[in-house]
Amino acid sequence: MKHRVTHRSGAKGPDELRQQIEHTRHQLGHTVAQLVGKADVKGRARVRAADLRDKAGAMTVQLRVSAAHAGHGMQDRASRAGHVVQGGVAQAGHAVQGKAARVGHAVQGRAAHAGHTAQGRASRAGHVVQGRGGRAGHAAVPQPLRGALRAGMRHPGPVLAVGVLGAAVVAAGVVWRRQHH
């Protein structure tokens, strides 16, 4: 925030001089507070690490809900198909229903595992950032991966999107393979 300093020829009395001094002190205090906030790299790193942990936790919950919804949807479709079919075909419908339930639970388990893994990695990354005062643990990361790590730290949104997309592709592949084998 910029403050304009008005240049006056001088105070007209002691009261006005006291007011000018108090105003200048207030401006200096505000400027010092802004500089302290900008210089607190470790505090900003802590806030960023907490944000990453929160996002990872939210992704875990979202993945679990999506997997459960997909599993229940498949289970409901299989159940309706089983009721329509009579005799020997009814037995096949029940088999499909059981398989769909197992696939749904497997997908839900894998999604939960992926969410926990992402949350753990975000937490570890936050601890590395906190422990190194803003440096992303250069000694702990192999040289070829340091550039990718820096890019991921600067732009976490695309990294998270790619991770979620990868988990969705793996889950879809698992479901497809189980249905076709």
Side-chain angles (χ1 to χ4, degrees), residues 2-53:
K2 291 187 177 181
H3 295 282
R4 289 209 171 159
V5 178
T6 56
H7 296 285
R8 296 180 185 165
S9 60
K12 292 184 182 173
D15 289 335
E16 188 175 340
L17 182 60
R18 283 187 196 98
Q19 287 177 347
Q20 288 177 1
I21 290 171
E22 189 60 35
H23 180 72
T24 303
R25 281 184 184 155
H26 177 70
Q27 286 177 334
L28 282 174
H30 185 70
T31 302
V32 168
Q34 285 180 329
L35 289 173
V36 167
K38 287 183 181 179
D40 187 15
V41 174
K42 196 172 187 178
R44 292 191 323 210
R46 281 190 192 114
V47 168
R48 181 75 176 135
D51 287 345
L52 288 173
R53 279 192 299 274

Side-chain angles (χ1 to χ4, degrees), residues 41-43 45-46 49 53 123-138:
V41 174
K42 196 172 187 178
R46 281 190 192 114
R53 279 192 299 274
S123 178
R124 285 191 298 275
H127 290 296
V128 167
V129 170
Q130 286 177 352
R132 309 253 181 194
R135 294 181 57 222
H138 293 292

Side-chain angles (χ1 to χ4, degrees), residues 95-161:
V96 170
Q97 181 181 4
K99 189 171 183 177
R102 286 190 302 275
V103 168
H105 289 297
V107 170
Q108 183 177 8
R110 285 189 176 100
H113 178 72
H116 286 299
T117 301
Q119 188 174 11
R121 287 181 182 167
S123 178
R124 285 191 298 275
H127 290 296
V128 167
V129 170
Q130 286 177 352
R132 309 253 181 194
R135 294 181 57 222
H138 293 292
V141 177
Q143 179 64 33
L145 299 178
R146 289 183 186 168
L149 177 64
R150 277 191 226 107
M153 297 282 290
R154 282 192 304 267
H155 308 289
V159 174
L160 291 174

